[in-house]
Amino acid sequence: GHRSRQDCGDIEVLVDPQSGAFDGLAGPLDGVRGRGATPSTNAVRIAAEALGWRRQPATVLLLTDGTDSCSADPCRLGWELGDAQHDVTVHIVDLGIRPENVDGVACLAQATGGVFLDGWAEDVTEELAAALGLAIRLL
């Protein structure tokens, strides 16, 4: 959520998915600031839909600093996407999820064959750069 405070429906596709669009993400993301709600599970669902995951292989990269705060179950979504007869993978980069909450988020990546990159560290800048580099190569 970045437009309305504590609004679990505040999910927006800023750049339409298309091949080679990665370089064009910096501009639209520049002004985005979290406003409290973390609708990450539904955001992944919307991203998978935008990528047409039922018709073609899709990869979603989720950057998150917290667990879903909107009563959605990321593990359940992982099982739904992972059990489907389609090729969808979710990779997650942790930007500061509390260690005791990691399992509740990592299961989404694991259930879809994705990777969970843990960004919780003393020097998060160096680890984040390495995690993002790996995530981009996975795409």
Side-chain angles (χ1 to χ4, degrees), residues 4 21-22 26-27 33 35 39 44-45 57 59 61-63 67 73 78 80 83 93 95 103 109 114 138:
S4 302
F22 190 79
R33 300 291 180 262
R35 294 203 171 261
V44 168
R45 183 183 307 277
T59 301
L61 173 60
L62 172 66
L63 308 176
T67 57
D73 184 348
E80 288 174 20
D83 285 345
V93 177
L95 302 176
D103 289 345
L138 291 171

Side-chain angles (χ1 to χ4, degrees), residues 6-9 37-42 67-73:
Q6 298 296 343
D7 180 358
C8 288
T38 305
S40 56
T41 302
N42 286 331
T67 57
D68 191 293
S69 62
C70 294
S71 301
D73 184 348

Side-chain angles (χ1 to χ4, degrees), residues 36-89:
T38 305
S40 56
T41 302
N42 286 331
V44 168
R45 183 183 307 277
I46 288 170
E49 293 293 336
L51 290 166
W53 71 276
R54 289 182 176 90
R55 297 180 311 278
Q56 62 191 8
T59 301
V60 176
L61 173 60
L62 172 66
L63 308 176
T64 186
D65 64 351
T67 57
D68 191 293
S69 62
C70 294
S71 301
D73 184 348
C75 296
R76 183 179 184 147
L77 176 61
W79 298 326
E80 288 174 20
L81 295 175
D83 285 345
Q85 298 298 316
H86 308 285
D87 184 11
V88 60
T89 306

Side-chain angles (χ1 to χ4, degrees), residues 87-135:
D87 184 11
V88 60
T89 306
V90 179
H91 301 296
I92 300 173
V93 177
D94 162 14
L95 302 176
I97 299 170
R98 295 181 165 272
E100 63 271 17
N101 296 329
V102 164
D103 289 345
V105 178
C107 60
L108 174 54
Q110 293 164 350
T112 62
V115 175
F116 179 83
L117 302 168
D118 190 356
W120 189 266
E122 295 277 329
D123 182 9
V124 74
T125 305
E126 188 174 312
E127 189 166 325
L128 175 59
L132 286 173
L134 176 58

Side-chain angles (χ1 to χ4, degrees), residues 5 12 26 32 55 57:
R5 184 153 179 78
E12 178 182 18
V32 173
R55 297 180 311 278

